[in-house]
Amino acid sequence: LMMQHSSRGKPTPPSRAPGPLSIHKPKKKRARDEHTPEQQGPHGSSKHVRTDAEEEGEGDTKTRKDNTQKKGTHPHKKIQPNHFPTSKPSLSPSSSSASLSSSSSSSSSSRSMHKQGKGSKLATTLQLHKDKLKAAKFRWINEKLYTCDSTEAQETFDKDQKLFFDYHEGFQAQVESWPVNPVDLIIDYINKRPSHLVVADFGCGDAKLAQSVRNPQVHSFDLVAANDRVTVCDIRDVPLADNAVNICVFCLSLMGTNFEEFLKEGWRVLKVGGVLKIAEVSSRLANAKGVRKFVEAIKAMGFKHSKTDESNKVFIMFDFTKLPSPLPA
């Protein structure tokens, strides 16, 4: 420390502002820890006072260090209190690479599952939208077929046959939600009858009936041929002779504003005493009064009413037999 002397030879403390020749740089004071007790040292400097607890802790640390070195543990290895290893860990390259490989594989698998989850959710959403569009298209075609005559319906499908297949795809999806498909009930009925009986299926769709019964002679008619079993025609005028068949079927096919012409054509090709089987959706007939009116209208065409089965909530089954001649108007 540089000292300056006054004229009397007594030492005086250094000036607070050192001159330009002074090279003394005061040391930066460390920030005080507000939790560490300090006391003033000489010349106003602070000095940290070591507590008994710190000294005791340092002694414990030295003791643990000495014990650790005696046991052969690396002197710089940090060991947490109360977490001493029970065995020496393996640091071989093979185990290390295996650990990294496992970690990488787990991370990759997690990312893959996350992507798959997003992909499956997107696929589900897209499928729901597609199903809604198909259902809407089916309803549109269904409404069209019920509100136009068979000639207009045939012209529509001649222009775009895809509409026919879209309609039947939507129809099949709807029927799958029903307790039973009415065509299956008709198939069971026919299979219990003699196999030599001739059957005519008006509005056959994919001709499931012809593919499912034992009878070798099944005539299937519709506006579009879904397969080689189907004869394309307007079902108000089918290519059969009079009194040619034993069973005439209209399974959910009395569509169109001229459906009475379909039933009259059925009467024409059916043998006297032959069976007319009809399946019609319940909602179309509305109530008991609607059912009675429907039955009376068919009886007026030359049929005898045999049976009405309303056991299913979705559709109603009707059985009629052909009389020798139509009832007078």
Side-chain angles (χ1 to χ4, degrees):
L1 179 65
M2 297 181 64
M3 303 292 292
Q4 295 179 355
H5 295 271
S6 65
S7 60
R8 295 180 183 179
K10 293 182 181 179
T12 60
S15 173
R16 291 182 180 273
L21 298 177
S22 174
I23 60 172
H24 173 70
K25 293 183 180 180
K27 296 182 179 180
K28 293 182 180 180
K29 292 183 180 181
R30 291 183 297 175
R32 293 182 181 179
D33 186 350
E34 59 182 6
H35 297 292
T36 304
E38 299 179 290
Q39 73 176 22
Q40 295 293 326
H43 307 293
S45 62
S46 62
K47 180 180 180 182
H48 177 69
V49 179
R50 299 172 62 79
T51 62
D52 294 341
E54 289 176 329
E55 291 177 355
E56 183 179 351
E58 183 178 331
D60 292 342
T61 303
K62 288 181 178 180
T63 302
R64 287 196 299 271
K65 184 176 180 181
D66 293 340
N67 292 337
T68 300
Q69 292 178 351
K70 288 178 183 180
K71 292 180 180 180
T73 309
H74 195 283
H76 298 294
K77 183 175 178 64
K78 186 177 179 180
I79 300 178
Q80 297 294 334
N82 302 323
H83 291 83
F84 294 97
T86 57
S87 61
K88 188 176 180 179
S90 173
L91 299 176
S92 64
S94 60
S95 64
S96 176
S97 62
S99 176
L100 289 172
S101 175
S102 174
S103 174
S104 175
S105 175
S106 175
S107 176
S108 176
S109 176
S110 176
R111 288 194 298 269
S112 177
M113 289 177 65
H114 183 64
K115 288 181 179 179
Q116 288 177 2
K118 280 188 174 181
S120 61
K121 185 176 181 180
L122 177 61
T124 302
T125 303
L126 289 174
Q127 188 59 47
L128 287 173
H129 284 298
K130 287 180 180 179
D131 292 343
K132 286 182 179 180
L133 288 173
K134 287 181 180 179
K137 194 170 187 178
F138 165 75
R139 289 193 296 271
W140 174 78
I141 301 172
N142 190 65
E143 180 71 16
K144 174 75 173 175
L145 294 175
Y146 272 108
T147 54
C148 70
D149 63 20
S150 58
T151 301
E152 184 179 348
Q154 188 170 32
E155 290 173 354
T156 299
F157 289 141
D158 286 345
K159 291 178 182 177
D160 186 1
Q161 289 193 357
K162 188 176 181 300
L163 290 176
F164 177 86
F165 294 102
D166 288 342
Y167 171 77
H168 280 281
E169 183 181 355
F171 173 77
Q172 290 298 330
Q174 187 179 62
V175 170
E176 285 176 3
S177 65
W178 295 359
V180 63
N181 188 338
V183 73
D184 292 332
L185 299 178
I186 296 173
I187 289 169
D188 289 342
Y189 168 83
I190 294 174
N191 280 333
K192 293 175 182 177
R193 307 292 296 275
S195 60
H196 68 273
L197 297 180
V198 181
V199 180
D201 186 4
F202 285 65
C204 63
D206 58 0
K208 180 180 179 180
L209 189 148
Q211 300 175 58
S212 306
V213 299
R214 298 179 294 109
N215 305 53
Q217 293 190 67
V218 178
H219 302 281
S220 303
F221 304 110
D222 215 321
L223 296 173
V224 175
N227 51 58
D228 57 4
R229 294 176 180 270
V230 182
T231 299
V232 177
C233 67
D234 184 339
I235 58 173
R236 67 185 178 85
D237 183 17
V238 298
L240 288 175
D242 295 352
N243 306 308
V245 302
N246 303 101
I247 302 173
C248 187
V249 176
F250 289 91
C251 184
L252 306 177
S253 57
L254 291 176
M255 307 175 72
T257 55
N258 62 328
F259 71 90
E260 290 185 1
E261 293 184 67
F262 308 161
L263 292 168
K264 289 178 180 179
E265 182 69 354
W267 185 91
R268 181 185 72 79
V269 302
L270 197 59
K271 292 180 179 181
V272 175
V275 176
L276 171 67
K277 292 194 74 69
I278 299 173
E280 187 57 78
V281 290
S282 302
S283 58
R284 188 180 186 187
L285 303 177
N287 48 40
K289 184 178 180 179
V291 172
R292 286 196 300 270
K293 288 180 66 176
F294 183 76
V295 170
E296 292 301 320
I298 295 176
K299 285 169 62 176
M301 296 177 191
F303 294 97
K304 179 182 179 182
H305 178 229
S306 304
K307 180 182 178 183
T308 298
D309 181 0
E310 299 184 58
S311 60
N312 193 286
K313 295 181 179 180
V314 183
F315 56 86
I316 303 174
M317 304 288 294
F318 299 93
D319 284 5
F320 297 88
T321 55
K322 179 183 175 178
L323 296 173
S325 60
L327 296 177

